[in-house]
Structures are given as structure tokens and as C-alpha cells.
């Protein structure tokens, strides 16, 4: 089990939860009937920022999903961050998914690159190259290169990344968060064997995306 040092609600959500519930309580005092929509909003914010612990698979060579969501891409393409041909697997997160991002492999961060950009629907392929994004290039424990890219979406307006170059990550370790809908792209060596297909629903850390 991942030793996540925070409560089941992500720390990024505390200010939003405080405001949402304060407004709902205030509206209840003013008009219980009209307060209902505000309680619904508060409950939505609560579910959005949930961040439960996850069981971490220990199979050697496993590449874990960095996010909850749905697989929208499994293809061979160019990895522009590590300048190589790669197997790309993309996970799309809607507003009902957990938005905490977790390390797909054990490894050392070689590069961190942030790119400002647009906020088109993250379900579209062009979001990977046009949207605001933050890329980590990681040398995995087995020497392979893994690139993990947080991509902002149509509603998302904030990518949070808490790691830096030379940091060593453990698989399943929480390293960032994207607020309100987005995607994460994972680029792997061409020799990696995908374990998911387009349309599959995946869970951060618990689902194995590929093996290498």
C-alpha cells in the first residue's frame, strides 16, 4: 500500500472545499431550499479532490498507470521530450476521476520541462502537443527511458508538479496533480509490451499499462 502522507482528500482541494462548504452553510442559513445547488457543488468538489491510497504492483518491469481514467491512445510515435521513437499510452481523466498523478516506475528524473499552451479538450490527440503541459523524463531502475507528461485540458487551468531534476521516484509515488479534467501521456521504449487497449478504464498505480 502506498504510504501517502496526506488524508484521503488531496491537500490541493482544502481551500476549494473550505469555500464550497462555507458558501453552502451560509446559503442554508439564508434559505434552506435555495441552498441545495450549493451543497451539490460542495459534494462535487469533495469527490473531485479525493485521493485514496493505492496498492502498488511489485512485478519487475511493470509500468504503472500515472492517473485514473480511460485509455485514449496506444500507438508508436515520436517522443519529443526524449527525442526518440516510442510507444505512447495516453490516459484521459474526466472531472469524476481522481486527479492525483503518480510515478509509473522506479527511477531518477533526468529532465523536467514545462510548456505553456492552449486548453483544448484533453481527449483530442492535438492536446498532447498544443496544450499546457509538464514533462518528466525518467531513467527507470532497469535503465530504460520513460517520459511522463501531464497535459492540461478544456477545464483544467493548473498543472502542479512537486518533483525536480535528480529526484528519485518510487513507483506509485505521488508527484503532482492536475485540477479539473486533463490527461497524462506516457512514452516508453518500442520494445515495451502494452497491457491495455484504447477504451480500457485504468486506476492510478494499480493498473499495469505495459511491461519492459
Amino acid at each position: 500500500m502506498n504510504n501517502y502522507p496526506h488524508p484521503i482528500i488531496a491537500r490541493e482541494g482544502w481551500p476549494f472545499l473550505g469555500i464550497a462548504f462555507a458558501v453552502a452553510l451560509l446559503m442554508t442559513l439564508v434559505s434552506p431550499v435555495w441552498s441545495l445547488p450549493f451543497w451539490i457543488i460542495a459534494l462535487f468538489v469533495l469527490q473531485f479532490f479525493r485521493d485514496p491510497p493505492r496498492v502498488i504492483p511489485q512485478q519487475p518491469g511493470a509500468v504503472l498507470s500515472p492517473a485514473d481514467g480511460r485509455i485514449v491512445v496506444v500507438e508508436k510515435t515520436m517522443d519529443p521530450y526524449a527525442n526518440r521513437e516510442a510507444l505512447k499510452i495516453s490516459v484521459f481523466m474526466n472531472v469524476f476521476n481522481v486527479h492525483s498523478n503518480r510515478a509509473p516506475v522506479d527511477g531518477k528524473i533526468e529532465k523536467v520541462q514545462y510548456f505553456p499552451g492552449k486548453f483544448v479538450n484533453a481527449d483530442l490527440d492535438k492536446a498532447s502537443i498544443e496544450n499546457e503541459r509538464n514533462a518528466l523524463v525518467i531513467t527507470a531502475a532497469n535503465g530504460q527511458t520513460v517520459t511522463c507528461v501531464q497535459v492540461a485540458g478544456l477545464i483544467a487551468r493548473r498543472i502542479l508538479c512537486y518533483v525536480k531534476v535528480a529526484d528519485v521516484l518510487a513507483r506509485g509515488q505521488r508527484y503532482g496533480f492536475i485540477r479539473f479534467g486533463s490527461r497524462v501521456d506516457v512514452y516508453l521504449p518500442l520494445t515495451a509490451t502494452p497491457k491495455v487497449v484504447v477504451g480500457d478504464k485504468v486506476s492510478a498505480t494499480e493498473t499495469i499499462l505495459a511491461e519492459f
Side-chain angles (χ1 to χ4, degrees):
M1 188 72 72
N2 187 13
N3 294 320
Y4 177 43
H6 304 286
I8 197 169
I9 300 301
R11 64 182 183 272
E12 292 86 355
W14 296 348
F16 296 93
L17 283 169
I19 293 171
F21 277 90
V23 171
L25 285 170
L26 179 61
M27 288 302 299
T28 300
L29 295 174
V30 173
S31 172
V33 174
W34 287 103
S35 69
L36 181 59
F38 294 92
W39 281 112
I40 292 173
I41 292 171
L43 291 175
F44 169 77
V45 174
L46 179 65
Q47 74 81 32
F48 180 86
F49 285 106
R50 70 195 188 281
D51 196 6
R54 298 292 172 86
V55 175
I56 305 174
Q58 296 301 313
Q59 293 97 312
V63 179
L64 311 183
S65 178
D68 283 12
R70 174 173 53 87
I71 300 297
V72 292
V73 171
V74 179
E75 66 180 12
K76 294 181 180 179
T77 187
M78 281 297 298
D79 173 359
Y81 311 100
N83 194 26
R84 58 172 178 159
E85 284 191 299
L87 170 68
K88 177 183 177 182
I89 302 177
S90 298
V91 181
F92 172 73
M93 295 175 278
N94 64 38
V95 294
F96 297 105
N97 292 130
V98 173
H99 277 60
S100 176
N101 300 140
R102 300 167 185 262
V105 293
D106 299 317
K108 182 180 179 182
I109 299 175
E110 304 293 344
K111 186 187 299 183
V112 179
Q113 293 177 288
Y114 169 78
F115 300 86
K118 300 178 181 179
F119 297 97
V120 301
N121 188 348
D123 201 5
L124 302 176
D125 288 343
K126 65 180 182 180
S128 289
I129 56 174
E130 293 185 5
N131 280 18
E132 178 182 349
R133 58 203 182 277
N134 189 77
L136 304 180
V137 178
I138 305 166
T139 298
N142 62 2
Q144 301 279 15
T145 298
V146 176
T147 304
C148 194
V149 189
Q150 296 168 290
V151 182
L154 183 64
I155 304 173
R157 286 295 185 270
R158 187 73 187 276
I159 292 175
L160 303 173
C161 182
Y162 303 122
V163 294
K164 60 185 184 303
V165 172
D167 282 354
V168 176
L169 296 174
R171 61 170 69 183
Q173 178 181 334
R174 189 182 191 280
Y175 76 87
F177 199 92
I178 313 178
R179 290 208 290 253
F180 304 117
S182 45
R183 73 189 274 166
V184 179
D185 297 328
V186 180
Y187 296 88
L188 301 169
L190 290 175
T191 53
T193 303
K195 297 297 181 180
V196 293
V197 296
V198 172
D200 283 355
K201 291 184 178 179
V202 297
S203 297
T205 297
E206 295 184 337
T207 300
I208 296 176
L209 294 185
E211 292 180 348
F212 60 3

